[in-house]
Amino acid sequence: SAPLLLTIVNSVIAVSTAFTINHVTPKTHVPRLHMSSATTQDTEPVNPRLEGLALALDSGTRKSHSVAQNSAFVTGFFKGLSTKESYGALLTSLYYVYTAMEESFDQTNEDSVKALDDEELRRVEPLRVDLEYFYGADWKDKLVPSPATQKYVARVTEVAEKQPYLLVAHQYTRYLGDLFGGQMM
């Protein structure tokens, strides 16, 4: 649901803004993000989720994640109560959201966003394939974004124009939530 998603995004924005203000000077220095276990000469592997931005995001969004995992949509999905219409609405929303995000990533000069923008994570092309399969060859003529989706897209566009470093929060929320949390679903 839109209010829940906005709550999660706002939590991520708050955490990433605090982290950015305390640890990174936007547009001047982008820290090396450690995505895999690092080791030093005499120590055990370091879990990257136990330090830095990963820890801040995990801690700062824990409550929002709990609320999301227990929402009617997610619990209904796990119980097999999803409908074809609700799945179509989800695909449609994701298409519009990812289109706005990925176009923003292409247009920004923000180093922190560029550092996290990975072609393998991009979703617009796979969503187009899914939408064609789901709706048929004329899928574009059938899509209408919901008011909540329009609001989310407007927020992504606003952030991209006014505070592009906050796109990192959308990258985290969408890519990790959809690709990794979505795998669970």
Side-chain angles (χ1 to χ4, degrees):
S1 68
L4 177 60
L5 182 57
L6 289 175
T7 300
I8 294 170
V9 170
N10 287 334
S11 296
V12 172
I13 287 171
V15 171
S16 62
T17 300
F19 187 84
T20 300
I21 290 168
N22 293 325
H23 300 284
V24 179
T25 304
K27 296 188 179 179
T28 59
H29 173 70
V30 177
R32 168 78 58 206
L33 297 175
H34 301 286
M35 298 290 192
S36 61
S37 295
T39 58
T40 59
Q41 291 176 341
D42 298 324
T43 62
E44 293 293 315
V46 176
N47 182 341
R49 294 185 65 174
L50 299 178
E51 62 186 22
L53 180 59
L55 176 63
L57 287 169
D58 185 46
S59 299
T61 62
R62 187 174 310 267
K63 183 176 179 182
S64 297
H65 279 102
S66 177
V67 170
Q69 291 167 350
N70 293 302
S71 70
F73 174 80
V74 173
T75 56
F77 186 89
F78 282 125
K79 292 178 181 176
L81 301 176
S82 181
T83 64
K84 182 177 179 179
E85 291 76 23
S86 66
Y87 182 70
L90 175 64
L91 279 179
T92 299
S93 293
L94 291 175
Y95 172 74
Y96 284 105
V97 168
Y98 276 113
T99 298
M101 283 177 44
E102 292 173 7
E103 287 175 357
S104 296
F105 302 161
D106 290 339
Q107 295 169 4
T108 190
N109 292 322
E110 181 61 43
D111 290 337
S112 58
V113 173
K114 293 290 189 189
L116 295 175
D117 184 21
D118 187 321
E119 192 64 35
E120 290 185 41
L121 295 175
R122 292 221 169 191
R123 304 309 319 144
V124 171
E125 287 306 316
L127 282 165
R128 286 182 177 144
V129 171
D130 289 350
L131 288 163
E132 184 172 347
Y133 176 81
F134 191 78
Y135 288 114
D138 61 341
W139 63 271
K140 284 187 181 182
D141 299 331
K142 298 176 182 178
L143 297 188
V144 177
S146 69
T149 300
Q150 292 173 19
K151 187 175 180 178
Y152 190 106
V153 166
R155 179 63 180 152
V156 169
T157 304
E158 177 186 356
V159 164
E161 292 171 1
K162 296 179 181 177
Q163 297 174 297
Y165 66 94
L166 293 180
L167 287 170
V168 169
H170 292 278
Q171 288 172 306
Y172 172 83
T173 302
R174 297 272 36 113
Y175 290 132
L176 287 178
D178 292 345
L179 297 179
F180 297 104
Q183 284 182 349
M184 179 180 73
M185 293 177 70

PDB file of all heavy atoms in Angstrom, residues 17-30:
ATOM      1  N   THR A  17      20.124  10.256   4.806  1.00  0.00           N
ATOM      2  CA  THR A  17      20.469  11.667   4.953  1.00  0.00           C
ATOM      3  C   THR A  17      21.378  11.855   6.151  1.00  0.00           C
ATOM      4  O   THR A  17      22.399  12.541   6.063  1.00  0.00           O
ATOM      5  CB  THR A  17      19.192  12.521   5.123  1.00  0.00           C
ATOM      6  OG1 THR A  17      18.379  12.350   3.974  1.00  0.00           O
ATOM      7  CG2 THR A  17      19.548  13.985   5.283  1.00  0.00           C
ATOM      8  N   ALA A  18      21.031  11.231   7.269  1.00  0.00           N
ATOM      9  CA  ALA A  18      21.877  11.340   8.460  1.00  0.00           C
ATOM     10  C   ALA A  18      23.257  10.775   8.182  1.00  0.00           C
ATOM     11  O   ALA A  18      24.274  11.352   8.564  1.00  0.00           O
ATOM     12  CB  ALA A  18      21.229  10.619   9.639  1.00  0.00           C
ATOM     13  N   PHE A  19      23.302   9.645   7.502  1.00  0.00           N
ATOM     14  CA  PHE A  19      24.588   9.021   7.175  1.00  0.00           C
ATOM     15  C   PHE A  19      25.381   9.927   6.242  1.00  0.00           C
ATOM     16  O   PHE A  19      26.569  10.145   6.424  1.00  0.00           O
ATOM     17  CB  PHE A  19      24.378   7.657   6.526  1.00  0.00           C
ATOM     18  CG  PHE A  19      25.668   6.904   6.329  1.00  0.00           C
ATOM     19  CD1 PHE A  19      26.199   6.166   7.369  1.00  0.00           C
ATOM     20  CD2 PHE A  19      26.352   6.953   5.136  1.00  0.00           C
ATOM     21  CE1 PHE A  19      27.389   5.479   7.210  1.00  0.00           C
ATOM     22  CE2 PHE A  19      27.542   6.273   4.962  1.00  0.00           C
ATOM     23  CZ  PHE A  19      28.061   5.533   6.010  1.00  0.00           C
ATOM     24  N   THR A  20      24.698  10.499   5.243  1.00  0.00           N
ATOM     25  CA  THR A  20      25.371  11.371   4.291  1.00  0.00           C
ATOM     26  C   THR A  20      25.920  12.601   4.985  1.00  0.00           C
ATOM     27  O   THR A  20      27.063  12.990   4.776  1.00  0.00           O
ATOM     28  CB  THR A  20      24.395  11.784   3.169  1.00  0.00           C
ATOM     29  OG1 THR A  20      23.947  10.615   2.504  1.00  0.00           O
ATOM     30  CG2 THR A  20      25.067  12.699   2.167  1.00  0.00           C
ATOM     31  N   ILE A  21      25.122  13.196   5.840  1.00  0.00           N
ATOM     32  CA  ILE A  21      25.563  14.402   6.535  1.00  0.00           C
ATOM     33  C   ILE A  21      26.727  14.089   7.458  1.00  0.00           C
ATOM     34  O   ILE A  21      27.681  14.853   7.547  1.00  0.00           O
ATOM     35  CB  ILE A  21      24.384  15.020   7.324  1.00  0.00           C
ATOM     36  CG1 ILE A  21      23.373  15.602   6.329  1.00  0.00           C
ATOM     37  CG2 ILE A  21      24.871  16.084   8.295  1.00  0.00           C
ATOM     38  CD1 ILE A  21      22.064  15.983   6.942  1.00  0.00           C
ATOM     39  N   ASN A  22      26.693  12.955   8.115  1.00  0.00           N
ATOM     40  CA  ASN A  22      27.738  12.625   9.080  1.00  0.00           C
ATOM     41  C   ASN A  22      28.976  11.994   8.471  1.00  0.00           C
ATOM     42  O   ASN A  22      30.038  12.048   9.056  1.00  0.00           O
ATOM     43  CB  ASN A  22      27.180  11.673  10.151  1.00  0.00           C
ATOM     44  CG  ASN A  22      26.146  12.358  11.008  1.00  0.00           C
ATOM     45  OD1 ASN A  22      26.257  13.546  11.285  1.00  0.00           O
ATOM     46  ND2 ASN A  22      25.129  11.633  11.404  1.00  0.00           N
ATOM     47  N   HIS A  23      28.849  11.358   7.316  1.00  0.00           N
ATOM     48  CA  HIS A  23      29.963  10.571   6.798  1.00  0.00           C
ATOM     49  C   HIS A  23      30.432  10.945   5.398  1.00  0.00           C
ATOM     50  O   HIS A  23      31.512  10.564   5.006  1.00  0.00           O
ATOM     51  CB  HIS A  23      29.597   9.082   6.800  1.00  0.00           C
ATOM     52  CG  HIS A  23      29.293   8.577   8.171  1.00  0.00           C
ATOM     53  ND1 HIS A  23      30.276   8.326   9.085  1.00  0.00           N
ATOM     54  CD2 HIS A  23      28.123   8.323   8.778  1.00  0.00           C
ATOM     55  CE1 HIS A  23      29.718   7.909  10.216  1.00  0.00           C
ATOM     56  NE2 HIS A  23      28.416   7.893  10.048  1.00  0.00           N
ATOM     57  N   VAL A  24      29.598  11.620   4.620  1.00  0.00           N
ATOM     58  CA  VAL A  24      29.951  11.917   3.239  1.00  0.00           C
ATOM     59  C   VAL A  24      29.603  13.366   2.951  1.00  0.00           C
ATOM     60  O   VAL A  24      28.542  13.828   3.316  1.00  0.00           O
ATOM     61  CB  VAL A  24      29.151  11.014   2.269  1.00  0.00           C
ATOM     62  CG1 VAL A  24      29.493  11.345   0.832  1.00  0.00           C
ATOM     63  CG2 VAL A  24      29.404   9.555   2.550  1.00  0.00           C
ATOM     64  N   THR A  25      30.488  14.055   2.310  1.00  0.00           N
ATOM     65  CA  THR A  25      30.165  15.369   1.811  1.00  0.00           C
ATOM     66  C   THR A  25      29.691  15.170   0.382  1.00  0.00           C
ATOM     67  O   THR A  25      30.477  14.794  -0.479  1.00  0.00           O
ATOM     68  CB  THR A  25      31.401  16.293   1.835  1.00  0.00           C
ATOM     69  OG1 THR A  25      31.905  16.319   3.156  1.00  0.00           O
ATOM     70  CG2 THR A  25      31.056  17.677   1.357  1.00  0.00           C
ATOM     71  N   PRO A  26      28.384  15.375   0.113  1.00  0.00           N
ATOM     72  CA  PRO A  26      27.878  15.103  -1.228  1.00  0.00           C
ATOM     73  C   PRO A  26      28.691  15.828  -2.302  1.00  0.00           C
ATOM     74  O   PRO A  26      29.120  16.953  -2.127  1.00  0.00           O
ATOM     75  CB  PRO A  26      26.445  15.629  -1.173  1.00  0.00           C
ATOM     76  CG  PRO A  26      26.079  15.534   0.270  1.00  0.00           C
ATOM     77  CD  PRO A  26      27.359  15.836   1.014  1.00  0.00           C
ATOM     78  N   LYS A  27      28.886  15.152  -3.400  1.00  0.00           N
ATOM     79  CA  LYS A  27      29.564  15.641  -4.592  1.00  0.00           C
ATOM     80  C   LYS A  27      31.061  15.847  -4.422  1.00  0.00           C
ATOM     81  O   LYS A  27      31.715  16.328  -5.304  1.00  0.00           O
ATOM     82  CB  LYS A  27      28.914  16.919  -5.108  1.00  0.00           C
ATOM     83  CG  LYS A  27      27.488  16.704  -5.579  1.00  0.00           C
ATOM     84  CD  LYS A  27      26.950  17.924  -6.245  1.00  0.00           C
ATOM     85  CE  LYS A  27      25.530  17.632  -6.713  1.00  0.00           C
ATOM     86  NZ  LYS A  27      24.909  18.741  -7.349  1.00  0.00           N
ATOM     87  N   THR A  28      31.614  15.538  -3.248  1.00  0.00           N
ATOM     88  CA  THR A  28      33.055  15.703  -3.111  1.00  0.00           C
ATOM     89  C   THR A  28      33.759  14.406  -2.782  1.00  0.00           C
ATOM     90  O   THR A  28      34.884  14.216  -3.167  1.00  0.00           O
ATOM     91  CB  THR A  28      33.398  16.732  -2.018  1.00  0.00           C
ATOM     92  OG1 THR A  28      32.840  16.301  -0.782  1.00  0.00           O
ATOM     93  CG2 THR A  28      32.867  18.106  -2.382  1.00  0.00           C
ATOM     94  N   HIS A  29      33.094  13.506  -2.060  1.00  0.00           N
ATOM     95  CA  HIS A  29      33.739  12.254  -1.695  1.00  0.00           C
ATOM     96  C   HIS A  29      32.689  11.169  -1.574  1.00  0.00           C
ATOM     97  O   HIS A  29      31.681  11.346  -0.914  1.00  0.00           O
ATOM     98  CB  HIS A  29      34.457  12.400  -0.346  1.00  0.00           C
ATOM     99  CG  HIS A  29      35.003  11.091   0.161  1.00  0.00           C
ATOM    100  ND1 HIS A  29      36.057  10.451  -0.433  1.00  0.00           N
ATOM    101  CD2 HIS A  29      34.596  10.301   1.183  1.00  0.00           C
ATOM    102  CE1 HIS A  29      36.297   9.322   0.218  1.00  0.00           C
ATOM    103  NE2 HIS A  29      35.428   9.211   1.191  1.00  0.00           N
ATOM    104  N   VAL A  30      32.915  10.078  -2.228  1.00  0.00           N
ATOM    105  CA  VAL A  30      32.030   8.921  -2.111  1.00  0.00           C
ATOM    106  C   VAL A  30      32.839   7.810  -1.480  1.00  0.00           C
ATOM    107  O   VAL A  30      33.856   7.392  -2.022  1.00  0.00           O
ATOM    108  CB  VAL A  30      31.498   8.476  -3.487  1.00  0.00           C
ATOM    109  CG1 VAL A  30      30.643   7.230  -3.348  1.00  0.00           C
ATOM    110  CG2 VAL A  30      30.711   9.587  -4.142  1.00  0.00           C
TER     111      VAL A  30
END
